[in-house]
Amino acid sequence: MSEAPCQTEETVGLFAGQHVLAELSGVSADLLDDEQFLRHALGEVLTQADATVLEVISKKFDPQGVTVLALLSESHASIHTYPEVGSVFVDVFTCGTRAKPALAVQLLAGALGAAHVSTDLVTRGVKEHVA
């Protein structure tokens, strides 16, 4: 039997999660336009933050910019780059309690060498088990 979205073995029935919204700036334009680097970096930081990466897709735009989306067992993550201003939007939402979305953002900022990081954390759902 497959698990429902936003449920992991440790938290079946827990309708709760954390949503981290971040803006990173002071990043090299070359890195923000490197689709393969960004795909690899996002997948790696999510794994290090105990998320389960199912699939990573991406799109490189002309003349510049990249969007990378990661489908997670715990939900999703995305990055949208703006090389022309050295900035990137990051969105990581994980259900349950095992994955650490704030850590994923912190690790990504380090991988990108971001000079500035601004984050907002949104706690979603309820804190008790649903029958």
Side-chain angles (χ1 to χ4, degrees), residues 2 4 10 14 29 31 33-36 38 51 64-67 84 88 95 97 99-100 108 124 129-130:
S2 66
E10 297 90 355
L14 184 63
L31 280 183
D33 213 31
D34 185 337
E35 182 178 10
Q36 292 309 311
L38 294 166
Q64 60 199 1
V66 178
T67 292
E84 65 275 20
V88 57
C95 296
T97 57
K100 302 167 195 76
L108 184 62
R124 299 181 67 184
H129 285 275
V130 177

Side-chain angles (χ1 to χ4, degrees), residues 110-125:
L112 292 172
H116 303 285
V117 179
S118 172
T119 62
D120 289 309
L121 173 64
V122 178
T123 300
R124 299 181 67 184

Side-chain angles (χ1 to χ4, degrees), residues 6-79:
C6 287
Q7 293 182 339
T8 64
E9 190 173 312
E10 297 90 355
T11 58
V12 171
L14 184 63
F15 180 69
Q18 292 187 327
H19 202 155
V20 179
L21 307 169
E23 298 174 19
L24 314 179
S25 60
V27 180
S28 159
D30 289 339
L31 280 183
L32 293 181
D33 213 31
D34 185 337
E35 182 178 10
Q36 292 309 311
F37 171 81
L38 294 166
R39 286 176 61 110
H40 177 75
L42 184 61
E44 283 295 311
V45 303
L46 289 165
T47 299
Q48 291 173 20
D50 295 326
T52 308
V53 179
L54 301 174
E55 185 174 357
V56 177
I57 62 171
S58 60
K59 168 67 176 161
K60 185 166 183 352
F61 295 95
D62 185 27
Q64 60 199 1
V66 178
T67 292
V68 182
L69 304 173
L71 176 64
L72 309 175
S73 288
E74 299 82 6
S75 196
H76 70 275
S78 66
I79 57 178

